[in-house]
Each structure stands twice: as structure tokens, then as C-alpha cells.
Amino acid sequence: MKILDRYCTRIYFIILILTISLNESFCFTSVIIDGDSSKIQIEKGKDKFNFKQLSVPAGLIFSGILMNSNRTESIKNEIVEERNEHIPNFKTHVDDYLQFSPIAISYGLDAFGIKSKTDFTNRTVILIKGELVMLGTVYILKNSIHQERPDISNYHSFPSGHTAQAFAAATFLSEEYKYKFKLMPYLSYGIAGSVGALRMFNNKHFISDVLVGAGIGYLSMKASYWTHQYKWGRRDPIMKEF
């Protein structure tokens, strides 16, 4: 039964990343054909809100809440038990840095001349707003719920701040470059999913913490895009040569 739970968890994570990535891949920026048939305009600021877009974060958060049972034989405790049995001494700090890597990739690509969807100023404002919402939400929940970590180090387990940061950053990278690189959502959310997995491997979080953190990070950054008014400079459309 424990072996089955372990493989089911791996499959769940794979489905999680694929679901988010596919959702992002098919939500492309609005495209308008210009009079010049050799060019295509990709308009900025068209990531408009609709209730269907809440399905991903709602699913993540709801799944995490359902799994957040403190019963000894609950899914989250079974996973911790499996971890302690097979990799009891595993420890890495890679997740401390990997959580920010999508942001570094985004600005790095722009620095090398691969332009993002949004200009530098508006992109940065969107990032800051999303980060503030994510950090505030995580802080309030951690200090209100007082969930003990699986390694019994403190009571700031729920939700996972590292995972929330990783998914917020992944959403930022995906939003800015999915119009140019179709595989960007898979890369960005693959990185974010890896951070969530590493938090569990490090015995710092339960799967429930990770799922809720992922939902918060994703929703925070998407909300920042949905509500942004692009008043920080010109909104010239990006021009892409065929």
C-alpha cells in the first residue's frame, strides 16, 4: 500500500505539472494580423480574467486542503513516512535558489535580446504586485494556522512559501514568453514542481503545504496580470517577423 501511495504521488505531480502547462500553453496572447502580411502583432495587456482560469488554482488549493488531515494514516503523513524510510538523510539547498530561477531566466532572456511580452517597467510592476500578494497571503496563513513541519523544526509549515514563490515566478516567466516559446510553460512549471518536490524531500513540508502554496503562487501572479492597467509607459505591441 505504501509503495502504491508513493507511485500515486509521483503520478499526481506529473499530472499537476502537465495540467498547468497545458492550460498556459493554450492561453496565448491575443494576435492581430497587420496590414503587412510579413508581420504579426502580439498585443500586450490582453490576459483578461474569466472564471475558467480559476480552475487550476482552485484545484490545487482544494486538493491541498483535502490532504491536510493530521490523522496518522493520512496521505500527507504516509508520504512523510515513505520519505523517512527511503531517504532519511536527504538534504539540499538547491530549492532555496531554484525558486527564483524563473525570474532570473525571464530577465536574462530579455538582456540577451529575446524580448518578452511586456516592456521592462510594466513587467517589473506586475512582478512586484504579484510577489507582494503572494508573500502577504503566505505570511498570514503561516501565522494563523500554525501547522508543525514534518521535521518538527517549527510551526510554519502550511502553506509552503518556497513553492508559492516558485509558482509565482513560473507564472511570470510563462506569461512573458509562452507566445514565443511553446515549451516555456513546461519548463517554468517543471522548475516550480521540482521546488515543491524538494521541499518534501527535505522534510520541510507535507504535500498539502506544497499544493496550497502552488495554488497561491499561481493565482497571485495571474491576478497581477489580470488587474494591471499598463499605465507605466507606452504599450507598443511587440512585432514578430514571420
Side-chain angles (χ1 to χ4, degrees):
M1 187 64 178
K2 292 181 179 179
I3 294 176
L4 180 61
D5 286 340
R6 184 174 62 194
Y7 283 105
C8 284
T9 303
R10 291 176 181 175
I11 293 172
Y12 186 88
F13 261 92
I14 292 172
I15 293 174
L16 164 66
I17 298 304
L18 287 176
T19 300
I20 299 176
S21 300
L22 286 170
N23 179 74
E24 290 294 296
S25 294
F26 288 109
C27 292
F28 284 108
T29 309
S30 297
V31 174
I32 299 177
I33 302 298
D34 199 357
D36 182 353
S37 60
S38 67
K39 293 182 178 181
I40 185 170
Q41 287 186 335
I42 303 176
E43 288 191 327
K44 298 184 294 184
K46 293 298 183 180
D47 186 20
K48 295 181 179 179
F49 170 79
N50 65 67
F51 285 100
K52 289 182 179 180
Q53 295 184 63
L54 291 176
S55 60
V56 170
L60 289 167
I61 294 171
F62 185 65
S63 296
I65 293 174
L66 285 180
M67 293 184 184
N68 197 35
S69 170
N70 290 320
R71 292 185 298 105
T72 304
E73 295 184 355
S74 64
I75 294 176
K76 74 172 191 179
N77 285 323
E78 287 286 351
I79 293 173
V80 170
E81 187 178 340
E82 283 288 307
R83 179 265 176 201
N84 292 338
E85 180 180 345
H86 296 281
I87 49 171
N89 299 316
F90 181 89
K91 187 175 183 180
T92 181
H93 293 289
V94 172
D95 47 332
D96 293 334
Y97 308 101
L98 198 61
Q99 61 179 321
F100 301 108
S101 62
I103 297 175
I105 292 172
S106 178
Y107 282 99
L109 288 172
D110 191 67
F112 279 101
I114 305 175
K115 297 302 180 182
S116 61
K117 179 180 74 174
T118 315
D119 64 89
F120 180 86
T121 303
N122 281 292
R123 179 171 77 245
T124 302
V125 173
I126 289 170
L127 175 63
I128 292 172
K129 289 194 301 181
E131 288 282 332
L132 289 176
V133 172
M134 178 273 296
L135 291 170
T137 304
V138 169
Y139 178 82
I140 291 172
L141 289 176
K142 280 182 178 288
N143 287 279
S144 300
I145 296 175
H146 296 290
Q147 174 71 55
E148 188 174 28
R149 293 186 187 272
D151 66 352
I152 322 180
S153 58
N154 60 47
Y155 285 85
H156 295 150
S157 186
F158 185 92
S160 169
H162 279 66
T163 308
Q165 172 59 62
F167 274 83
T171 302
F172 177 72
L173 174 59
S174 178
E175 285 295 319
E176 291 301 323
Y177 282 99
K178 65 186 178 184
Y179 78 93
K180 184 168 288 188
F181 303 110
K182 292 183 178 180
L183 293 179
M184 187 57 79
Y186 297 92
L187 170 64
S188 57
Y189 290 108
I191 292 173
S194 298
V195 172
L198 287 173
R199 295 308 287 164
M200 293 193 294
F201 291 163
N202 278 326
N203 207 28
K204 288 296 183 180
H205 285 288
F206 298 100
I207 188 172
S208 52
D209 309 335
V210 168
L211 291 174
V212 173
I216 290 172
Y218 178 89
L219 182 58
S220 297
M221 196 57 67
K222 290 290 285 188
S224 186
Y225 276 95
W226 293 332
T227 59
H228 192 64
Q229 299 300 309
Y230 295 89
K231 295 180 179 180
W232 297 82
R234 296 182 63 187
R235 291 183 56 192
D236 295 331
I238 298 171
M239 302 301 295
K240 179 182 176 184
E241 298 289 342
F242 278 127

